[in-house]
Amino acid sequence: MVAIDSLFDGGNIIPLSLEDPSDIRVEIRKDAQSDFYQWFSFRLSHDAGSAIRVSITNAGGAAYVRGWEGYSAVYSVDGQFWQRMPTQYKDGVLTMTLVMPAPLVHIAYFAPYPLTRHRDMISQAISTGRFAYRDLGKTVDGRAMDYLRFGSGPKQVWLYARQHPGETMAQWWMEGVLDRLGNPEDPITRTLATQATLHLVPNMNPDGSFRGHLRTNAVGVNLNRVWDAPTQERSPEVFHVKAAMEESGVDIALDVHGDEALPYNFIAGFEGIPNLTPDQSEGLQRYKSLLAQISPDFQTKVGYPAAPAGKANLSMSTNYVAHRFGAVAMTLEMPFKDTIDTPHEDTGWSPHRSALLGRDCLQAIALFLDA
């Protein structure tokens, strides 16, 4: 007998038909008060060694249908190692097949990053004695906005992840960053501690993360579209982070995301902001060049088209921060699929590779500041 469970931290799926293991039908639940959906995460139990076929029947109405092209879902037995499973998108239905390696497997859009792991990560960082902690304020649902500060140098560097909660690779990236910063013997982080003060918000959207949302917070707000005018009532997450930025100032910012369609790691900039300066433009290109030299998983040829001069959307974080503070603000995008130039057949883009890129981004920041 097939059974499905999604009533857990970050879970999302609605069972429709479970009678036939070769024709299991489900659909993805929409974000609360929103039409966005694409994230799924659920546990499926059936006899080990049996073949199953799971079809997401409403995949054709998902937020980014191009994301299904060339995509493979992930599964895990132990919740630690995630690998890809055969997946096909056709006629609006996403179909996944698997021979059950155990009587219970976890299937997801990308490797989940639950709030329990987030809390453990924050506690582990604090236990190193290398970070200061602060609760910036409360989310719509009343959760803490966890913030960590590292170093005491003059440059103000902001790193924040998971404005869109379904983009869990962003928090795996942050885990790699915190692991490296927490190592007192790492020469890069020792250098960074004197060059800069790092401000880190590992999860910008804990409510959406817990609820299993793709893109919005508890009341359906896309946090990366309210930076010009957030409110304490509907978007307190951005409101509190902006207030902290006003206290510190911002010289460099990395807003970390995942992209459904493009099989590349890339950085989107702020080219269309009013009063763009040559120093900002040069800084953006220099940081991307440094990161490309450090990490073969990062490239600069493919990405989003730049906004025309003066036409940047200032409701988006990167544009707002670059405009408001004169900062080199960047959006780092990682794939839900894999990197075409450096593919890994078994895992595709993965938690471990996300964490490694986080470590490399720190090294690029250190080199950028050194210059």
Side-chain angles (χ1 to χ4, degrees):
M1 179 179 178
V2 175
I4 283 180
D5 169 32
S6 64
L7 296 178
F8 52 81
D9 180 354
N12 183 334
I13 210 71
I14 301 172
L16 300 177
S17 176
L18 305 179
E19 290 78 15
D20 183 355
S22 66
D23 187 24
I24 301 165
R25 279 167 283 159
V26 299
E27 66 179 23
I28 303 172
R29 185 185 69 248
K30 291 181 179 180
D31 292 6
Q33 302 180 44
S34 169
D35 288 329
F36 284 116
Y37 70 87
Q38 194 141 357
W39 170 262
F40 58 89
S41 175
F42 60 94
R43 302 192 309 161
L44 186 150
S45 61
H46 192 47
D47 299 332
S50 61
I52 62 163
R53 181 173 181 266
V54 182
S55 297
I56 298 178
T57 59
N58 65 341
Y64 304 98
V65 177
R66 281 186 57 213
W68 302 132
E69 300 169 7
Y71 163 78
S72 296
V74 300
Y75 75 95
S76 176
V77 173
D78 61 5
Q80 302 297 317
F81 177 67
W82 296 83
Q83 54 191 314
R84 301 286 170 161
M85 59 193 294
T87 305
Q88 181 183 33
Y89 178 69
K90 184 178 180 181
D91 298 331
V93 177
L94 188 77
T95 303
M96 303 165 284
T97 57
L98 184 69
V99 175
M100 293 287 289
L104 178 66
V105 297
H106 192 155
I107 297 172
Y109 186 31
F110 194 83
Y113 202 102
L115 286 185
T116 50
R117 188 178 183 106
H118 164 84
R119 288 191 289 267
D120 290 345
M121 179 183 69
I122 296 293
S123 297
Q124 177 62 35
I126 294 170
S127 72
T128 67
R130 292 171 64 81
F131 298 89
Y133 171 81
R134 179 178 163 194
D135 177 355
L136 294 181
K138 301 304 180 189
T139 66
V140 173
D141 282 343
R143 292 186 172 87
M145 288 295 295
D146 291 327
Y147 158 93
L148 297 167
R149 190 182 73 248
F150 172 89
S152 57
K155 292 298 183 180
Q156 305 301 314
V157 177
W158 276 81
L159 308 176
Y160 46 106
R162 215 169 167 188
Q163 288 200 76
H164 298 148
E167 297 166 13
T168 55
M169 62 285 292
Q171 197 157 5
W172 290 107
W173 179 95
M174 189 66 77
E175 186 170 292
V177 165
L178 292 179
D179 282 347
R180 186 165 198 181
L181 291 176
N183 182 359
E185 297 181 349
D186 190 308
I188 294 297
T189 63
R190 291 168 63 189
T191 299
L192 273 172
T194 61
Q195 291 174 316
T197 301
L198 276 66
H199 309 266
L200 305 104
V201 184
N203 188 334
M204 283 282 297
N205 197 339
D207 291 352
S209 302
F210 183 82
R211 289 166 173 258
H213 287 186
L214 172 73
R215 201 164 175 85
T216 68
N217 71 356
V219 289
V221 174
N222 179 350
L223 297 182
N224 202 28
R225 295 298 185 275
V226 297
W227 277 75
D228 55 339
T231 68
Q232 292 199 60
E233 294 72 31
R234 292 184 53 81
S235 48
E237 301 88 351
V238 175
F239 185 92
H240 295 311
V241 170
K242 273 186 63 177
M245 286 180 170
E246 290 292 340
E247 293 176 9
S248 69
V250 185
D251 294 304
I252 301 172
L254 266 177
D255 176 20
V256 189
H257 288 259
D259 184 88
E260 288 78 6
L262 295 177
Y264 301 92
N265 289 299
F266 61 95
I267 280 176
F270 46 84
E271 291 87 347
I273 64 169
N275 304 317
L276 175 68
T277 70
D279 283 348
Q280 284 178 297
S281 297
E282 187 275 334
L284 172 64
Q285 298 308 318
R286 182 157 53 90
Y287 183 83
K288 291 196 292 184
S289 177
L290 287 168
L291 185 55
Q293 293 174 48
I294 294 167
S295 173
D297 276 339
F298 180 80
Q299 55 81 53
T300 59
K301 295 180 180 178
V302 179
Y304 300 147
K311 300 296 184 180
N313 182 352
L314 296 182
S315 72
M316 298 175 68
S317 168
T318 287
N319 292 329
Y320 176 86
V321 173
H323 176 62
R324 168 67 184 87
F325 297 100
V328 176
M330 298 166 281
T331 302
L332 174 66
E333 297 280 358
M334 290 175 282
F336 277 87
K337 302 174 184 177
D338 199 356
T339 50
I340 279 184
D341 298 329
T342 55
H344 192 292
E345 183 177 354
D346 292 335
T347 65
W349 190 248
S350 67
H352 183 62
R353 295 174 70 191
S354 301
L356 290 175
L357 184 59
R359 296 173 62 88
D360 288 342
C361 286
L362 285 180
Q363 184 171 347
I365 291 172
L367 292 172
F368 181 92
L369 294 174
D370 189 52

